[in-house]
Amino acid sequence: MKQTLQLKTSQHLALTPQLQQSIRLLQLSTLELHQEIEQVLSENPLLERLDDPLDRSVRLLADGAINSTPSSSQAGEAPAAQGNGDEGGSAPAESGNGNGEGGDAGGDSGESGGEGGEDWGEYGRSSGSGGEDEDGRPQLEASPVTLREHLMEQVRLTCCAARDCALVELVVDALDDNGYLEEPLEDIHARLPEELEIEFDELRTALAMVQSMDPPGVGARSAAECLALQIRRMPGVPMVTRRMALVIVEKYLTWFAQREFNKLKKALDCDDEDLREAQAVIRQCNPHPGAAFASDVSDFVVPDVIVRRAKDGWSVLLNPEVMPRLRVNSLYASLMKQGKSESQLNAQLQEAKWLIKNMRQRFDTILRVAQAIVDRQRNFFSHGAVAMRPLVLREIADTLGLHESTISRVTTQKYMLTPHGMFELKYFFGSHVATEAGGEASSTAIRALIVQLTGAEDPKNPLSDSKIAEMLGEQGMVIARRTVAKYREALKIPPVSLRKSL
């Protein structure tokens, strides 16, 4: 074969590192974004953060007093730009950049003492004001008491013999977070060494002692036993009602949970009033007595945007609490202007500029998408979920001149704080259902109507799925019974049989 040289022209799409970083930052949640920034800050010495959460933290001296001396980063802190301006011109490496991304390299020497002189006076006490706590020691939150600690405190007050205390502690250690003894008592006894010569009755006595402690119901081996333990210790309950409630939880708890009231009245030979009184007693019980001592910390969602009512409608604002304040270190920028930097620092400077620019672009895109959503869902903000209109990603993409994938990235794990609560941006998009007039109704609005209908129903005669579908049809929404059932289950509304009451 003869070798030849050929020239060929073709087009292909190449993603630059800056574009790849922009796409990656856009799809990150607020928590993931801050983790990404912390990683970049640890790798790039030219980039620094002005809103370090540790700068305003309470620092203690060796004697426990509050250190009111401002940190070094606070003393020179300057307000950071939020996407439309520069911070100053003390960093020559970026002051001449006309693209707008270099503004965060500005100096911060002009704002010293504004925030650096801030102390605890804002929070009700100054370090030199001579308040009630003259030694300056802060009030620290006490650690929560666990279920085991609560029970062992009672054991130390009631048990005298060391053997009894050890057996009770053995039972306490076998309880789960809800206060139940899931492992059979026989298995616990079988694991004990034979040389201890512990009888099974001793272990049973230790369990009875645990079941007599606070909170009521602790140490139960089943839900029925847990409820029975609480009913027996409940004060002010008539004997007849107490006896009937015990029979229900010990023998007919399944019927009671399924609201088979006719079967219960026949088995107990009672009327509606007697059964209603027993039901009221059972409902006062806590099926998870140990849950009150759980140390689980609730996870809170911080909104990315906030919707507020304005004179001309609804406006969207970025939440400043989630916007990192970044800039290029002015010292490094000065050295680079004087030509005393290395090539590696030049590359890190460019990376810092890219990150600052992409951060601004990320928040600008989120703000634009959120404002477009609010403009199309104004009825929701004025009247609630029942006024939600159908909306798809393509509609927002065509309005803003962006791709659907970009809108999808923006609306994923980004949250909006509204007068009606906190919602993910994807909440405002949904499928639609046809109406008799030829229009469309949002599935979110239909779910809200189902909640309203079930909330206003007669507890003695609740609405079935077919009846709900019929009532929605009267309002012009063509929807099948199985669709109502699907929406009801998604809303965690029990079926008609479990919503019926006496």
Side-chain angles (χ1 to χ4, degrees):
M1 293 181 62
K2 185 179 179 180
Q3 296 182 351
T4 60
L5 295 177
Q6 295 181 351
L7 295 177
K8 184 178 179 181
T9 303
S10 63
Q11 293 182 346
H12 66 279
L13 180 64
L15 295 178
T16 63
Q18 183 180 1
L19 184 57
Q20 293 178 8
Q21 184 186 62
S22 177
I23 294 175
R24 187 176 69 256
L25 293 179
L26 192 61
Q27 66 187 4
L28 296 178
S29 64
T30 299
L31 179 60
E32 294 170 341
L33 176 66
H34 284 270
Q35 292 175 349
E36 177 82 8
I37 291 175
E38 291 299 327
Q39 181 178 357
V40 175
L41 290 173
S42 64
E43 298 173 353
N44 192 341
L46 274 75
L47 194 65
E48 61 181 10
R49 184 170 184 174
L50 295 178
D51 58 340
D52 188 355
L54 294 180
D55 283 347
R56 301 178 183 273
S57 60
V58 179
R59 303 177 185 274
L60 302 181
L61 299 176
D63 59 350
I66 297 176
N67 182 12
S68 59
T69 304
S71 60
S72 58
S73 60
Q74 278 183 292
E77 183 175 326
Q82 296 185 359
N84 57 357
D86 295 336
E87 289 185 2
S90 64
E94 294 196 88
S95 60
N97 193 325
N99 295 332
E101 71 269 19
D104 284 49
D108 57 339
S109 59
E111 298 276 341
S112 63
E115 294 181 357
E118 215 172 280
D119 58 14
W120 273 65
E122 237 179 76
Y123 301 91
R125 179 185 175 278
S126 175
S127 58
S129 61
E132 294 182 2
D133 296 332
E134 295 181 357
D135 57 356
R137 290 180 173 83
Q139 300 296 324
L140 302 179
E141 182 182 4
S143 59
V145 179
T146 63
L147 177 63
R148 185 185 186 281
E149 293 172 348
H150 182 66
L151 294 175
M152 291 308 301
E153 182 66 24
Q154 300 175 65
V155 170
R156 286 188 285 270
L157 296 176
T158 55
C159 292
C160 297
R163 183 183 180 90
D164 296 339
C165 290
L167 290 176
V168 173
E169 185 176 0
L170 178 65
V171 175
V172 169
D173 290 338
L175 301 180
D176 61 7
D177 294 337
N178 292 322
Y180 282 81
L181 182 65
E182 294 185 344
E183 187 177 5
L185 208 59
E186 292 79 5
D187 295 349
I188 298 177
H189 182 261
R191 289 191 287 102
L192 296 176
E194 296 183 358
E195 56 269 17
L196 296 179
E197 298 181 355
I198 298 177
E199 300 292 336
F200 184 74
D201 290 340
E202 294 182 87
L203 204 57
R204 187 180 298 161
T205 303
L207 175 60
M209 183 173 295
V210 172
Q211 292 179 348
S212 65
M213 295 180 180
D214 182 77
V218 69
R221 288 159 288 187
S222 63
E225 185 179 14
C226 178
L227 298 177
L229 289 171
Q230 297 179 56
I231 293 173
R232 290 190 179 95
R233 297 173 58 179
M234 195 174 297
V237 179
M239 183 60 64
V240 177
T241 305
R242 189 193 304 273
R243 187 182 300 113
M244 183 178 298
L246 287 172
V247 173
I248 291 175
V249 299
E250 291 175 348
K251 297 183 179 180
Y252 307 109
L253 187 59
T254 303
W255 286 0
F256 182 80
Q258 297 175 353
R259 296 178 179 265
E260 298 287 351
F261 297 125
N262 292 329
K263 293 182 179 180
L264 285 174
K265 288 189 292 184
K266 185 177 180 180
L268 299 174
D269 191 19
C270 64
D271 55 10
D272 290 346
E273 185 63 28
D274 294 337
L275 187 57
R276 189 178 296 109
E277 293 177 358
Q279 182 185 28
V281 171
I282 297 174
R283 285 185 171 180
Q284 296 180 29
C285 300
N286 182 9
H288 306 289
F293 297 88
S295 58
D296 296 337
V297 179
S298 301
D299 295 329
F300 296 94
V301 176
V302 180
D304 296 270
V305 292
I306 302 173
V307 179
R308 294 177 179 173
R309 184 184 291 275
K311 294 181 179 180
D312 55 347
W314 296 92
S315 63
V316 182
L317 304 174
L318 288 172
N319 184 7
E321 299 297 331
V322 300
M323 299 177 62
R325 302 169 62 184
L326 304 175
R327 69 176 180 186
V328 175
N329 186 280
S330 58
L331 176 60
Y332 282 102
S334 301
L335 293 176
M336 296 181 70
K337 183 185 177 183
Q338 300 172 8
K340 300 180 180 180
S341 61
E342 301 178 357
S343 58
Q344 182 180 359
L345 291 181
N346 290 326
Q348 291 178 333
L349 174 62
Q350 190 62 40
E351 292 176 0
K353 291 181 179 181
W354 284 352
L355 179 63
I356 294 173
K357 181 178 180 180
N358 289 332
M359 288 289 297
R360 289 176 173 174
Q361 184 177 359
R362 175 186 185 272
F363 286 105
D364 179 66
T365 305
I366 292 175
L367 181 61
R368 292 174 59 201
V369 172
Q371 186 64 59
I373 292 174
V374 171
D375 291 341
R376 281 152 185 78
Q377 298 290 4
R378 292 184 181 275
N379 291 333
F380 165 81
F381 297 99
S382 301
H383 306 289
V386 293
M388 183 82 75
R389 55 156 288 192
L391 185 64
V392 293
L393 296 176
R394 180 177 293 276
E395 184 175 347
I396 301 295
D398 294 342
T399 302
L400 301 178
L402 301 174
H403 196 270
E404 280 188 67
S405 61
T406 303
I407 305 300
S408 178
R409 293 187 182 97
V410 172
T411 55
T412 301
Q413 294 183 342
K414 313 297 188 303
Y415 293 88
M416 176 185 292
L417 179 61
T418 73
H420 302 287
M422 184 93 67
F423 300 96
E424 188 179 9
L425 294 185
K426 276 192 177 299
Y427 171 79
F428 299 95
F429 301 86
S431 58
H432 63 273
V433 176
T435 61
E436 292 181 351
E440 296 177 344
S442 171
S443 59
T444 305
I446 295 176
R447 291 190 181 96
L449 288 174
I450 293 175
V451 172
Q452 286 187 359
L453 292 175
T454 54
E457 66 186 1
D458 183 7
K460 297 182 180 180
N461 187 22
L463 300 175
S464 62
D465 295 339
S466 301
K467 183 62 176 177
I468 294 176
E470 181 181 344
M471 296 176 69
L472 292 175
E474 294 175 356
Q475 301 184 25
M477 301 179 184
V478 182
I479 182 171
R481 182 202 59 80
R482 59 180 176 272
T483 306
V484 173
K486 180 181 70 174
Y487 288 166
R488 177 183 52 74
E489 292 174 357
L491 295 169
K492 297 182 179 180
I493 299 177
V496 59
S497 60
L498 298 183
R499 300 201 308 271
K500 188 176 181 180
S501 61
L502 287 171

